[in-house]
Amino acid sequence: MLHVSVKTKGAKFSIPVPYILLNICTSIITSKMLIRHANKWSKPHLEQKNISFTIPSIDKSELKRIIKELKKHRGLEIVNVKAQDGTEVIVRL
């Protein structure tokens, strides 16, 4: 399970994210329909700025292998950020 902890001066909370939710999200993100629509939605904005860019398709099997590998390294701290105002964000496996 992925744990996201956020600490600020006024609040402190932790969000657990199960691996099954990560697998569902990767399936949604890598769907061809979503990528096709994202390219269609971003096209007018990119044309206004004269930028030629399309969102590439993402290989679902590679993302699944990455999540499977992350499961083997429980307790690993991926992100540990402390801002000058005291805000702290920690992402841990």
Side-chain angles (χ1 to χ4, degrees):
M1 186 170 301
L2 189 72
H3 296 279
V4 179
S5 300
V6 179
K7 297 176 189 173
T8 62
K9 291 180 183 177
K12 176 181 172 182
F13 59 92
S14 179
I15 304 169
V17 181
Y19 287 114
I20 189 73
L21 187 62
L22 287 176
N23 285 328
I24 292 169
C25 289
T26 57
S27 296
I28 293 169
I29 290 172
T30 58
S31 72
K32 291 181 181 182
M33 185 178 74
L34 180 70
I35 292 172
R36 186 173 53 240
H37 283 293
N39 281 325
K40 185 175 81 174
W41 294 328
S42 63
K43 187 176 180 181
H45 301 292
L46 293 174
E47 285 178 349
Q48 288 176 353
K49 296 181 180 183
N50 294 327
I51 299 172
S52 174
F53 179 76
T54 57
I55 298 171
S57 62
I58 302 167
D59 188 13
K60 182 175 20 177
S61 64
E62 289 297 320
L63 287 177
K64 297 279 185 182
R65 287 179 34 199
I66 290 170
I67 291 173
K68 187 177 179 181
E69 191 64 32
L70 285 176
K71 288 180 184 180
K72 296 178 184 177
H73 300 284
R74 295 188 179 177
L76 179 69
E77 224 174 67
I78 298 174
V79 176
N80 189 347
V81 178
K82 295 178 185 175
Q84 290 180 347
D85 65 351
T87 304
E88 185 176 343
V89 177
I90 299 172
V91 178
R92 185 178 292 130
L93 295 177

